[in-house]
Amino acid sequence: MNRRQTLGALAASAATGILPFTAHAQGGGWPQKPIRLIVGFTPGGSTDLAARILAQALGERLGQPVVVENKPGASGNIATDFVAKSAPDGYTLMLCTIPTHAINPHLYRNLPFDHLKDFAPVSLVAMLPNIIAANPQFPASNVKELVALLKKDPGKYNFAAVPGGSPHLTAEVFKETAGVQMQLISYKGASPAITDVIAGHVPLVFENVAPTMAFLKSGQLKAIAVTSPTRLPGLESVPTVAESGFPDFAIEGWSGVVAPAGTPAAVVARLNAEVRHVLDTPELRAKFEQLNLRTRSSTPQEFGAFMKAQTDFWGNVIRRIGLKLD
């Protein structure tokens, strides 16, 4: 073999050795096995159902199954801790929510993870609107009448909510914004809260739209207003709080995909591209709308900034009301 042939062989060998390593380092070989999508709440709820819809669509795009695993408990903190401590290889993801990645860090002391530093943001996924609803016999039927009633008899009326959740804290912001007083009646879940409002034990409920929709349509609950920036499909006749005299009021829950910190940038980029693709399909948007969810995607950088802003906003609210859950 002459010198030119030897150099050519060395170059080919070097290229053969380097290219697989580079592709692996950049996530080019990912995914090569099933991916877990962790949900911090029980099966059957809005977050779980959204995760399953997203997982199926992502699996079809990635060529590997995306399997939803539920790890409920401690308002999502168990699942959050599990993902934070998982290998940063792109095979364990989380559908995080406003409680897990904006609210809980202000409610629980000594959490074993940092909800910002221990995660790599991938993309926002959905916005989850809240609603103010009432027993049909409640004398107020809109925000103007509700505020007038609450100001006439400060502290007389109660509202049902799960303490520390997005709907509860939305109620606290509403109280501040409108300058009214209401007392929280705590519940462990949406179902018992709604049941007691229907029965007349509590006059008002602040809750996600999804679990209230069937009762609104049946007339067992009446809608006062939605807290989203715009009116909602299926509830077009229900005004927003912003339309009802408080133009700056717009609060929604949300969910998004995160991975453990240290996940290769190329894997995060691929995930982001695929999440954004499936969220933009009419099929997935229609399925989310059936759950009263509005799809919303983002870049990883936008999602990181969004989580930080939400963390700051809800931290200020929680400090003002002095709420702690442990």
Side-chain angles (χ1 to χ4, degrees), residues 107-257:
L107 296 179
Y108 298 89
R109 290 170 291 191
N110 302 318
L111 288 176
F113 55 83
D114 186 305
H115 72 294
L116 296 177
K117 294 180 180 179
D118 290 344
F119 294 88
V122 175
S123 175
L124 269 165
V125 167
M127 306 305 291
L128 180 61
N130 296 323
I131 192 167
I132 309 171
N135 180 279
Q137 304 306 313
F138 187 64
S141 297
N142 55 54
V143 170
K144 183 178 179 180
E145 293 174 355
L146 174 61
V147 171
L149 190 66
L150 295 175
K151 286 187 174 181
K152 179 182 176 183
D153 295 303
K156 176 180 178 180
Y157 295 100
N158 303 322
F159 69 95
V162 178
S166 169
H168 167 215
L169 295 179
T170 298
E172 298 295 344
V173 176
F174 177 78
K175 287 164 58 177
E176 288 185 338
T177 303
V180 296
Q181 296 181 31
M182 294 183 291
Q183 302 300 317
L184 168 68
I185 304 298
S186 298
Y187 288 85
K188 292 185 177 180
S191 293
I194 292 169
T195 298
D196 271 10
V197 174
I198 291 172
H201 302 312
V202 185
L204 292 163
V205 62
F206 281 70
E207 189 46 77
N208 299 140
V209 168
T212 66
M213 184 64 83
F215 303 106
L216 294 167
K217 290 184 175 180
S218 69
Q220 293 172 281
L221 288 175
K222 70 174 175 180
I224 302 294
V226 293
T227 69
S228 49
T230 59
R231 297 194 185 198
L232 304 176
L235 294 174
E236 290 86 356
S237 64
V238 181
T240 66
V241 175
E243 292 177 301
S244 306
F246 303 98
D248 295 328
F249 193 100
I251 297 177
E252 296 179 282
W254 49 265
S255 63
V257 174

Side-chain angles (χ1 to χ4, degrees), residues 39-101:
V39 173
F41 304 96
T42 55
S46 297
T47 302
D48 173 74
L49 294 174
R52 293 177 189 280
I53 294 169
L54 180 66
Q56 181 178 356
L58 278 179
E60 293 171 358
R61 292 284 301 178
L62 294 170
Q64 290 286 349
V66 180
V67 181
V68 173
E69 290 188 16
N70 301 87
K71 294 187 179 296
S75 298
N77 289 331
I78 291 174
T80 309
D81 185 46
F82 176 84
V83 176
K85 292 177 172 58
S86 295
D89 54 11
Y91 292 103
T92 302
L93 309 173
M94 181 179 187
L95 188 64
C96 70
T97 62
I98 186 171
T100 63
H101 280 70

